[in-house]
Amino acid sequence: MTTRPQILLVDDDVSLLQAIAAILDLEGFESVLCESAPSVVEFLRNLPISLVIIDIFMPDQDGMETIRAIREQWPQLPIIAMSGGWRSINPETILETARALGAQGALEKPFDRAALVEAVRRALNPD
């Protein structure tokens, strides 16, 4: 039996986490939902996570800070950043910054199923 890749989904919007998890489940992935950025490191220490998809703007700790923390301990772990922008900040600029910090991919909210699945497949199979 082959194990399905576990993807850690990090966002403070529970309904968005559930929607992404439903899509990924249909595509053969297993999702682990995390509503709090400070909990990410604990999840990564305790579960065999294959990929992290993280929102940039969250109330308890921003995604940029969390990406830095992941990179310090798990430099090879694929990360996809997602953002819908914030106030007057351009989402593309935010996502470029996330890539510079080590995210392999970036999704601008709202994104569709095809964009999500393509980003996940690309992050897990970079060749």
Side-chain angles (χ1 to χ4, degrees):
M1 178 178 148
T2 60
T3 58
R4 301 181 331 159
Q6 282 193 342
I7 301 173
L8 181 61
L9 305 176
V10 188
D11 198 309
D12 58 307
D13 182 342
V14 177
S15 59
L16 179 63
L17 288 177
Q18 292 169 338
I20 294 171
I23 291 168
L24 295 177
D25 184 59
L26 291 172
E27 294 293 329
F29 302 105
E30 183 177 333
S31 298
V32 177
L33 281 53
C34 177
E35 300 172 41
S36 169
S39 301
V40 168
V41 170
E42 184 179 335
F43 276 98
L44 292 175
R45 284 188 180 135
N46 295 307
L47 295 171
I49 300 296
S50 303
L51 168 67
V52 175
I53 301 177
I54 185 167
D55 187 27
I56 296 300
F57 296 109
M58 290 179 284
D60 49 7
Q61 176 177 309
D62 74 38
M64 300 292 192
E65 186 179 340
T66 308
I67 291 170
R68 275 191 215 100
I70 293 169
R71 279 289 154 255
E72 287 175 10
Q73 296 184 53
W74 297 274
Q76 302 303 317
L77 182 65
I79 301 170
I80 297 174
M82 58 181 172
S83 176
W86 185 69
R87 296 184 188 159
S88 62
I89 302 172
N90 181 340
E92 288 183 23
T93 303
I94 296 163
L95 296 174
E96 286 173 17
T97 303
R99 284 189 195 100
L101 290 173
Q104 281 75 17
L107 293 167
E108 185 177 340
K109 294 178 189 176
F111 47 84
D112 64 18
R113 178 187 182 132
L116 172 64
V117 172
E118 179 182 337
V120 168
R121 292 193 191 288
R122 207 173 327 121
L124 291 173
N125 303 300
D127 295 333

